[in-house]
Amino acid sequence: RDLVRSRGLGDVYKRQMITFMFGTSVINAYETYIPVSIRYEKTDSNGDGVEDSITILYDKTYVTAESVIIPDKIDGMPVTEILPYVFFESQITSIKLPDSLETIGECAFMFCENLKNIEIPESVKYICENAFNSCTAAESITILNPECEIYDSYLTMYQFTGTIYGYENSTAQEYAEKYEYNFSAIDAEPEVTTPVSYTHLRAHETVLDL
Protein backbone atom coordinates (compact mmCIF):
# COMPACT_ATOMS: atom_id res chain seq x y z
CA ARG A 1 0.00 0.00 0.00
CA ASP A 2 1.35 3.38 -0.97
CA LEU A 3 0.58 5.38 2.15
CA VAL A 4 1.80 8.79 1.06
CA ARG A 5 -0.06 9.91 -2.03
CA SER A 6 0.03 13.21 -3.88
CA ARG A 7 -3.19 14.88 -5.01
CA GLY A 8 -3.19 16.63 -8.36
CA LEU A 9 -3.92 20.36 -8.22
CA GLY A 10 -6.35 19.90 -11.10
CA ASP A 11 -8.78 18.29 -8.64
CA VAL A 12 -8.48 21.30 -6.34
CA TYR A 13 -9.16 23.73 -9.17
CA LYS A 14 -12.21 21.74 -10.30
CA ARG A 15 -13.67 21.99 -6.83
CA GLN A 16 -12.99 25.74 -6.84
CA MET A 17 -14.84 26.15 -10.12
CA ILE A 18 -17.90 24.58 -8.54
CA THR A 19 -17.51 26.67 -5.41
CA PHE A 20 -17.32 30.00 -7.19
CA MET A 21 -20.72 29.46 -8.80
CA PHE A 22 -22.42 30.49 -5.57
CA GLY A 23 -22.53 33.69 -3.51
CA THR A 24 -20.53 34.24 -0.33
CA SER A 25 -21.82 34.61 3.21
CA VAL A 26 -20.28 35.11 6.63
CA ILE A 27 -20.93 33.93 10.15
CA ASN A 28 -19.44 35.12 13.40
CA ALA A 29 -16.96 32.73 14.99
CA TYR A 30 -15.35 32.72 18.40
CA GLU A 31 -12.00 34.46 18.42
CA THR A 32 -10.02 35.16 21.57
CA TYR A 33 -8.95 38.76 21.08
CA ILE A 34 -10.14 40.15 17.76
CA PRO A 35 -13.66 39.58 16.37
CA VAL A 36 -13.48 37.44 13.26
CA SER A 37 -15.99 36.36 10.65
CA ILE A 38 -15.80 33.10 8.76
CA ARG A 39 -16.40 33.71 5.06
CA TYR A 40 -17.84 30.74 3.23
CA GLU A 41 -19.70 29.52 0.19
CA LYS A 42 -22.34 26.84 -0.19
CA THR A 43 -21.12 24.28 -2.68
CA ASP A 44 -22.44 21.59 -4.97
CA SER A 45 -19.90 18.87 -4.22
CA ASN A 46 -21.02 16.33 -6.82
CA GLY A 47 -22.39 18.54 -9.61
CA ASP A 48 -26.04 17.54 -9.23
CA GLY A 49 -27.23 21.12 -8.77
CA VAL A 50 -27.90 20.76 -5.04
CA GLU A 51 -25.90 22.75 -2.49
CA ASP A 52 -24.81 20.20 0.08
CA SER A 53 -21.58 21.39 1.69
CA ILE A 54 -19.60 24.43 2.80
CA THR A 55 -16.15 25.64 1.76
CA ILE A 56 -14.19 28.24 3.71
CA LEU A 57 -12.91 31.29 1.83
CA TYR A 58 -10.27 33.91 2.53
CA ASP A 59 -11.25 36.90 4.66
CA LYS A 60 -8.98 39.81 5.56
CA THR A 61 -9.84 39.48 9.25
CA TYR A 62 -7.94 36.18 9.37
CA VAL A 63 -4.65 38.04 9.00
CA THR A 64 -4.83 39.65 12.45
CA ALA A 65 -6.94 36.99 14.20
CA GLU A 66 -5.26 34.98 16.95
CA SER A 67 -7.55 32.05 17.75
CA VAL A 68 -10.28 30.76 15.43
CA ILE A 69 -12.90 28.04 15.71
CA ILE A 70 -14.55 26.81 12.50
CA PRO A 71 -17.87 25.05 13.24
CA ASP A 72 -18.70 21.58 11.91
CA LYS A 73 -21.84 22.87 10.18
CA ILE A 74 -23.07 26.17 8.77
CA ASP A 75 -26.72 26.52 7.76
CA GLY A 76 -27.08 22.80 8.47
CA MET A 77 -24.41 21.85 5.89
CA PRO A 78 -21.06 20.24 6.77
CA VAL A 79 -17.90 22.29 6.37
CA THR A 80 -15.82 20.10 4.06
CA GLU A 81 -13.05 22.22 2.56
CA ILE A 82 -10.63 25.04 3.31
CA LEU A 83 -9.70 26.50 -0.06
CA PRO A 84 -6.09 27.36 -1.08
CA TYR A 85 -4.41 30.34 0.63
CA VAL A 86 -7.30 30.93 3.07
CA PHE A 87 -5.10 31.53 6.15
CA PHE A 88 -1.95 32.46 4.20
CA GLU A 89 0.34 34.70 6.33
CA SER A 90 -2.26 35.07 9.10
CA GLN A 91 -1.18 35.66 12.72
CA ILE A 92 -3.31 32.89 14.22
CA THR A 93 -1.80 31.05 17.18
CA SER A 94 -4.48 28.34 17.31
CA ILE A 95 -7.32 27.02 15.17
CA LYS A 96 -10.05 24.43 15.79
CA LEU A 97 -10.78 22.60 12.55
CA PRO A 98 -14.25 21.07 12.04
CA ASP A 99 -14.74 17.33 12.38
CA SER A 100 -16.50 17.38 9.00
CA LEU A 101 -13.48 18.76 7.12
CA GLU A 102 -12.19 16.70 4.20
CA THR A 103 -9.67 18.88 2.35
CA ILE A 104 -7.01 21.37 3.45
CA GLY A 105 -6.14 23.28 0.31
CA GLU A 106 -2.84 24.29 -1.22
CA CYS A 107 -0.90 26.83 0.92
CA ALA A 108 -3.91 27.08 3.28
CA PHE A 109 -1.71 27.77 6.34
CA MET A 110 1.51 28.76 4.61
CA PHE A 111 3.55 31.35 6.56
CA CYS A 112 1.34 31.08 9.66
CA GLU A 113 4.43 31.72 11.71
CA ASN A 114 2.65 31.94 15.09
CA LEU A 115 0.59 28.76 14.83
CA LYS A 116 1.60 26.49 17.72
CA ASN A 117 -0.26 23.16 17.72
CA ILE A 118 -2.32 21.77 14.87
CA GLU A 119 -4.81 18.91 15.14
CA ILE A 120 -6.14 17.59 11.84
CA PRO A 121 -9.43 15.72 12.33
CA GLU A 122 -9.98 12.12 11.32
CA SER A 123 -12.37 13.32 8.61
CA VAL A 124 -9.58 15.00 6.62
CA LYS A 125 -8.75 13.00 3.49
CA TYR A 126 -6.38 15.39 1.71
CA ILE A 127 -3.60 17.71 2.83
CA CYS A 128 -2.55 19.57 -0.29
CA GLU A 129 0.76 21.01 -1.46
CA ASN A 130 2.43 23.58 0.83
CA ALA A 131 -0.51 23.40 3.26
CA PHE A 132 1.71 23.96 6.32
CA ASN A 133 4.80 25.38 4.63
CA SER A 134 6.82 27.71 6.93
CA CYS A 135 4.75 27.25 10.09
CA THR A 136 7.98 27.87 11.93
CA ALA A 137 6.58 28.12 15.48
CA ALA A 138 4.51 24.93 15.25
CA GLU A 139 5.36 22.44 17.97
CA SER A 140 3.11 19.63 16.80
CA ILE A 141 0.95 18.50 13.91
CA THR A 142 -1.45 15.69 14.80
CA ILE A 143 -3.01 13.76 11.92
CA LEU A 144 -5.89 11.59 13.14
CA ASN A 145 -6.76 9.92 9.83
CA PRO A 146 -4.26 7.05 9.39
CA GLU A 147 -4.89 7.08 5.61
CA CYS A 148 -4.89 10.83 5.02
CA GLU A 149 -3.38 11.69 1.63
CA ILE A 150 -0.46 14.00 2.34
CA TYR A 151 0.97 15.77 -0.69
CA ASP A 152 4.26 13.99 -1.33
CA SER A 153 6.73 16.84 -1.00
CA TYR A 154 8.96 18.13 1.79
CA LEU A 155 7.45 21.56 1.06
CA THR A 156 4.09 20.48 2.46
CA MET A 157 5.51 21.04 5.97
CA TYR A 158 8.66 22.93 5.05
CA GLN A 159 10.65 24.33 8.04
CA PHE A 160 8.51 22.44 10.53
CA THR A 161 10.74 21.53 13.49
CA GLY A 162 8.22 20.03 15.90
CA THR A 163 6.72 16.54 16.10
CA ILE A 164 4.23 14.87 13.78
CA TYR A 165 1.76 12.74 15.74
CA GLY A 166 -0.16 9.92 14.11
CA TYR A 167 -0.91 6.22 14.31
CA GLU A 168 1.68 3.56 13.69
CA ASN A 169 1.93 2.49 10.03
CA SER A 170 -0.06 5.56 8.99
CA THR A 171 0.54 8.04 6.20
CA ALA A 172 1.65 10.49 8.88
CA GLN A 173 4.40 8.13 10.00
CA GLU A 174 5.50 7.37 6.44
CA TYR A 175 5.60 11.07 5.56
CA ALA A 176 7.57 11.92 8.71
CA GLU A 177 10.11 9.18 8.12
CA LYS A 178 10.51 9.95 4.42
CA TYR A 179 11.28 13.63 5.05
CA GLU A 180 13.07 13.12 8.39
CA TYR A 181 10.58 14.82 10.70
CA ASN A 182 10.17 13.79 14.33
CA PHE A 183 7.31 11.30 14.69
CA SER A 184 5.46 10.03 17.75
CA ALA A 185 2.72 7.41 17.73
CA ILE A 186 -0.58 8.64 19.17
CA ASP A 187 -1.20 5.42 21.06
CA ALA A 188 2.30 5.45 22.56
CA GLU A 189 2.64 6.02 26.31
CA PRO A 190 2.73 9.82 26.83
CA GLU A 191 5.55 11.58 28.59
CA VAL A 192 4.83 12.78 32.13
CA THR A 193 4.59 16.55 32.03
CA THR A 194 3.33 19.30 34.28
CA PRO A 195 -0.39 19.85 33.64
CA VAL A 196 -1.16 23.07 31.78
CA SER A 197 -3.73 25.36 33.35
CA TYR A 198 -6.40 26.70 31.02
CA THR A 199 -8.19 28.71 33.69
CA HIS A 200 -7.20 32.01 32.08
CA LEU A 201 -9.07 31.06 28.92
CA ARG A 202 -12.42 30.47 30.58
CA ALA A 203 -13.35 34.12 30.62
CA HIS A 204 -13.12 34.24 26.82
CA GLU A 205 -15.10 31.11 26.00
CA THR A 206 -18.21 31.59 23.92
CA VAL A 207 -20.66 29.04 22.60
CA LEU A 208 -21.38 29.45 18.89
CA ASP A 209 -25.00 28.57 18.23
CA LEU A 210 -25.64 28.01 14.52
Side-chain angles (χ1 to χ4, degrees), residues 122-155:
E122 186 178 0
S123 59
V124 173
K125 300 176 182 178
Y126 310 109
I127 299 174
C128 296
E129 186 176 7
N130 289 306
F132 296 101
N133 187 322
S134 300
C135 293
T136 52
E139 299 170 356
S140 68
I141 297 178
T142 301
I143 303 174
L144 295 178
N145 179 1
E147 297 185 348
C148 180
E149 296 190 15
I150 306 169
Y151 190 88
D152 192 4
S153 168
Y154 75 98
L155 293 174

Short mmCIF file of all heavy atoms in Angstrom, two decimals, residues 122-155:
data_model
loop_
_atom_site.label_atom_id
_atom_site.label_comp_id
_atom_site.label_asym_id
_atom_site.label_seq_id
_atom_site.Cartn_x
_atom_site.Cartn_y
_atom_site.Cartn_z
N GLU A 122 -9.95 13.41 12.01
CA GLU A 122 -9.98 12.12 11.32
C GLU A 122 -10.70 12.21 9.99
O GLU A 122 -10.45 11.42 9.07
CB GLU A 122 -10.66 11.08 12.22
CG GLU A 122 -10.63 9.67 11.68
CD GLU A 122 -11.26 8.68 12.62
OE1 GLU A 122 -11.74 9.09 13.70
OE2 GLU A 122 -11.29 7.48 12.28
N SER A 123 -11.60 13.18 9.85
CA SER A 123 -12.37 13.32 8.61
C SER A 123 -11.55 13.81 7.43
O SER A 123 -11.96 13.65 6.28
CB SER A 123 -13.53 14.30 8.85
OG SER A 123 -13.02 15.57 9.26
N VAL A 124 -10.38 14.40 7.69
CA VAL A 124 -9.58 15.00 6.62
C VAL A 124 -8.96 13.91 5.75
O VAL A 124 -8.20 13.07 6.23
CB VAL A 124 -8.50 15.94 7.18
CG1 VAL A 124 -7.57 16.43 6.07
CG2 VAL A 124 -9.15 17.14 7.88
N LYS A 125 -9.25 13.98 4.45
CA LYS A 125 -8.75 13.00 3.49
C LYS A 125 -7.53 13.51 2.73
O LYS A 125 -6.71 12.71 2.28
CB LYS A 125 -9.85 12.63 2.49
CG LYS A 125 -11.09 12.04 3.12
CD LYS A 125 -12.17 11.81 2.06
CE LYS A 125 -13.45 11.26 2.66
NZ LYS A 125 -14.51 11.09 1.62
N TYR A 126 -7.44 14.83 2.53
CA TYR A 126 -6.38 15.39 1.71
C TYR A 126 -5.72 16.58 2.40
O TYR A 126 -6.40 17.50 2.85
CB TYR A 126 -6.94 15.88 0.36
CG TYR A 126 -7.80 14.88 -0.36
CD1 TYR A 126 -9.17 15.06 -0.45
CD2 TYR A 126 -7.22 13.75 -0.97
CE1 TYR A 126 -9.97 14.13 -1.12
CE2 TYR A 126 -8.02 12.83 -1.64
CZ TYR A 126 -9.38 13.02 -1.71
OH TYR A 126 -10.16 12.10 -2.36
N ILE A 127 -4.40 16.54 2.44
CA ILE A 127 -3.60 17.71 2.83
C ILE A 127 -2.80 18.08 1.59
O ILE A 127 -1.94 17.32 1.15
CB ILE A 127 -2.66 17.40 4.00
CG1 ILE A 127 -3.48 16.99 5.24
CG2 ILE A 127 -1.77 18.59 4.32
CD1 ILE A 127 -2.63 16.53 6.41
N CYS A 128 -3.10 19.22 1.02
CA CYS A 128 -2.55 19.57 -0.29
C CYS A 128 -1.18 20.24 -0.19
O CYS A 128 -0.68 20.53 0.90
CB CYS A 128 -3.53 20.45 -1.04
SG CYS A 128 -5.10 19.63 -1.41
N GLU A 129 -0.60 20.49 -1.34
CA GLU A 129 0.76 21.01 -1.46
C GLU A 129 0.94 22.31 -0.67
O GLU A 129 0.10 23.21 -0.71
CB GLU A 129 1.06 21.27 -2.93
CG GLU A 129 2.49 21.69 -3.22
CD GLU A 129 2.73 21.84 -4.71
OE1 GLU A 129 1.76 21.75 -5.48
OE2 GLU A 129 3.90 22.02 -5.10
N ASN A 130 2.05 22.38 0.07
CA ASN A 130 2.43 23.58 0.83
C ASN A 130 1.43 23.96 1.92
O ASN A 130 1.45 25.09 2.43
CB ASN A 130 2.62 24.79 -0.10
CG ASN A 130 3.86 24.69 -0.95
OD1 ASN A 130 4.96 24.48 -0.44
ND2 ASN A 130 3.70 24.81 -2.25
N ALA A 131 0.56 23.07 2.31
CA ALA A 131 -0.51 23.40 3.26
C ALA A 131 0.03 24.00 4.55
O ALA A 131 -0.54 24.96 5.09
CB ALA A 131 -1.34 22.16 3.57
N PHE A 132 1.14 23.47 5.07
CA PHE A 132 1.71 23.96 6.32
C PHE A 132 3.16 24.41 6.13
O PHE A 132 3.96 24.36 7.05
CB PHE A 132 1.62 22.88 7.40
CG PHE A 132 0.20 22.52 7.74
CD1 PHE A 132 -0.38 21.37 7.22
CD2 PHE A 132 -0.55 23.33 8.56
CE1 PHE A 132 -1.69 21.04 7.52
CE2 PHE A 132 -1.86 23.01 8.88
CZ PHE A 132 -2.43 21.86 8.35
N ASN A 133 3.46 24.88 4.95
CA ASN A 133 4.80 25.38 4.63
C ASN A 133 5.12 26.60 5.50
O ASN A 133 4.33 27.53 5.62
CB ASN A 133 4.85 25.77 3.15
CG ASN A 133 6.24 26.14 2.68
OD1 ASN A 133 7.01 26.78 3.39
ND2 ASN A 133 6.56 25.76 1.46
N SER A 134 6.30 26.58 6.16
CA SER A 134 6.82 27.71 6.93
C SER A 134 5.97 28.06 8.16
O SER A 134 5.89 29.22 8.56
CB SER A 134 6.98 28.95 6.04
OG SER A 134 7.88 28.69 4.97
N CYS A 135 5.37 27.07 8.76
CA CYS A 135 4.75 27.25 10.09
C CYS A 135 5.86 27.05 11.12
O CYS A 135 5.94 26.02 11.80
CB CYS A 135 3.60 26.27 10.29
SG CYS A 135 2.19 26.55 9.21
N THR A 136 6.72 28.03 11.22
CA THR A 136 7.98 27.87 11.93
C THR A 136 7.86 27.74 13.45
O THR A 136 8.77 27.25 14.11
CB THR A 136 8.92 29.04 11.60
OG1 THR A 136 8.23 30.27 11.85
CG2 THR A 136 9.34 29.01 10.13
N ALA A 137 6.75 28.21 14.02
CA ALA A 137 6.58 28.12 15.48
C ALA A 137 5.82 26.87 15.90
O ALA A 137 5.68 26.59 17.09
CB ALA A 137 5.85 29.36 16.00
N ALA A 138 5.34 26.10 14.93
CA ALA A 138 4.51 24.93 15.25
C ALA A 138 5.31 23.90 16.04
O ALA A 138 6.41 23.52 15.66
CB ALA A 138 3.96 24.31 13.98
N GLU A 139 4.72 23.45 17.14
CA GLU A 139 5.36 22.44 17.97
C GLU A 139 4.87 21.04 17.65
O GLU A 139 5.58 20.06 17.88
CB GLU A 139 5.09 22.77 19.45
CG GLU A 139 5.67 24.12 19.87
CD GLU A 139 5.21 24.53 21.26
OE1 GLU A 139 4.37 23.80 21.85
OE2 GLU A 139 5.67 25.58 21.75
N SER A 140 3.65 20.94 17.14
CA SER A 140 3.11 19.63 16.80
C SER A 140 2.08 19.73 15.70
O SER A 140 1.37 20.73 15.57
CB SER A 140 2.47 18.98 18.04
OG SER A 140 1.31 19.69 18.43
N ILE A 141 2.02 18.68 14.88
CA ILE A 141 0.95 18.50 13.91
C ILE A 141 0.42 17.09 14.12
O ILE A 141 1.15 16.11 13.95
CB ILE A 141 1.45 18.67 12.45
CG1 ILE A 141 1.96 20.09 12.22
CG2 ILE A 141 0.33 18.34 11.47
CD1 ILE A 141 2.52 20.32 10.83
N THR A 142 -0.83 16.99 14.53
CA THR A 142 -1.45 15.69 14.80
C THR A 142 -2.41 15.35 13.67
O THR A 142 -3.32 16.13 13.37
CB THR A 142 -2.22 15.72 16.14
OG1 THR A 142 -1.31 16.06 17.19
CG2 THR A 142 -2.83 14.36 16.43
N ILE A 143 -2.18 14.20 13.05
CA ILE A 143 -3.01 13.76 11.92
C ILE A 143 -3.77 12.51 12.35
O ILE A 143 -3.19 11.44 12.52
CB ILE A 143 -2.13 13.48 10.69
CG1 ILE A 143 -1.32 14.74 10.32
CG2 ILE A 143 -2.98 13.01 9.51
CD1 ILE A 143 -0.31 14.53 9.22
N LEU A 144 -5.09 12.66 12.55
CA LEU A 144 -5.89 11.59 13.14
C LEU A 144 -6.39 10.57 12.13
O LEU A 144 -6.82 9.49 12.53
CB LEU A 144 -7.07 12.20 13.91
CG LEU A 144 -6.67 13.06 15.12
CD1 LEU A 144 -7.91 13.66 15.77
CD2 LEU A 144 -5.88 12.24 16.13
N ASN A 145 -6.36 10.89 10.85
CA ASN A 145 -6.76 9.92 9.83
C ASN A 145 -5.52 9.12 9.41
O ASN A 145 -4.60 9.68 8.79
CB ASN A 145 -7.36 10.63 8.61
CG ASN A 145 -7.76 9.66 7.51
OD1 ASN A 145 -7.62 8.44 7.64
ND2 ASN A 145 -8.27 10.20 6.41
N PRO A 146 -5.46 7.83 9.72
CA PRO A 146 -4.26 7.05 9.39
C PRO A 146 -4.02 6.89 7.89
O PRO A 146 -2.92 6.51 7.49
CB PRO A 146 -4.53 5.68 10.05
CG PRO A 146 -6.01 5.61 10.17
CD PRO A 146 -6.48 7.01 10.40
N GLU A 147 -5.03 7.22 7.06
CA GLU A 147 -4.89 7.08 5.61
C GLU A 147 -5.01 8.43 4.90
O GLU A 147 -5.27 8.49 3.70
CB GLU A 147 -5.92 6.09 5.06
CG GLU A 147 -5.72 4.68 5.60
CD GLU A 147 -6.65 3.67 4.97
OE1 GLU A 147 -7.61 4.10 4.28
OE2 GLU A 147 -6.43 2.46 5.16
N CYS A 148 -4.82 9.50 5.62
CA CYS A 148 -4.89 10.83 5.02
C CYS A 148 -3.87 10.97 3.89
O CYS A 148 -2.70 10.58 4.05
CB CYS A 148 -4.62 11.89 6.09
SG CYS A 148 -4.69 13.59 5.49
N GLU A 149 -4.29 11.50 2.75
CA GLU A 149 -3.38 11.69 1.63
C GLU A 149 -2.61 12.99 1.83
O GLU A 149 -3.17 14.09 1.73
CB GLU A 149 -4.16 11.72 0.31
CG GLU A 149 -4.85 10.41 0.01
CD GLU A 149 -5.43 10.35 -1.39
OE1 GLU A 149 -5.05 11.21 -2.21
OE2 GLU A 149 -6.25 9.46 -1.66
N ILE A 150 -1.33 12.86 2.10
CA ILE A 150 -0.46 14.00 2.34
C ILE A 150 0.34 14.26 1.06
O ILE A 150 1.01 13.35 0.56
CB ILE A 150 0.51 13.72 3.51
CG1 ILE A 150 -0.29 13.30 4.75
CG2 ILE A 150 1.36 14.94 3.80
CD1 ILE A 150 0.58 12.76 5.87
N TYR A 151 0.27 15.48 0.56
CA TYR A 151 0.97 15.77 -0.69
C TYR A 151 2.45 15.41 -0.54
O TYR A 151 3.13 15.85 0.39
CB TYR A 151 0.82 17.24 -1.07
CG TYR A 151 1.33 17.53 -2.47
CD1 TYR A 151 0.48 17.40 -3.57
CD2 TYR A 151 2.64 17.91 -2.70
CE1 TYR A 151 0.93 17.64 -4.85
CE2 TYR A 151 3.11 18.15 -3.98
CZ TYR A 151 2.24 18.01 -5.06
OH TYR A 151 2.71 18.25 -6.33
N ASP A 152 2.94 14.61 -1.47
CA ASP A 152 4.26 13.99 -1.33
C ASP A 152 5.37 14.95 -1.71
O ASP A 152 5.95 14.86 -2.80
CB ASP A 152 4.31 12.72 -2.18
CG ASP A 152 5.53 11.87 -1.86
OD1 ASP A 152 6.27 12.24 -0.93
OD2 ASP A 152 5.74 10.86 -2.53
N SER A 153 5.65 15.87 -0.81
CA SER A 153 6.73 16.84 -1.00
C SER A 153 7.18 17.34 0.36
O SER A 153 6.36 17.53 1.26
CB SER A 153 6.27 18.02 -1.85
OG SER A 153 7.21 19.08 -1.81
N TYR A 154 8.48 17.58 0.53
CA TYR A 154 8.96 18.13 1.79
C TYR A 154 8.42 19.54 2.01
O TYR A 154 8.37 20.04 3.14
CB TYR A 154 10.49 18.13 1.81
CG TYR A 154 11.15 19.19 0.97
CD1 TYR A 154 11.59 20.38 1.54
CD2 TYR A 154 11.33 19.01 -0.41
CE1 TYR A 154 12.20 21.37 0.76
CE2 TYR A 154 11.91 19.98 -1.18
CZ TYR A 154 12.36 21.16 -0.60
OH TYR A 154 12.95 22.14 -1.38
N LEU A 155 7.97 20.20 0.95
CA LEU A 155 7.45 21.56 1.06
C LEU A 155 6.09 21.62 1.74
O LEU A 155 5.67 22.68 2.20
CB LEU A 155 7.35 22.20 -0.32
CG LEU A 155 8.68 22.47 -1.02
CD1 LEU A 155 8.44 22.97 -2.43
CD2 LEU A 155 9.50 23.49 -0.23
#
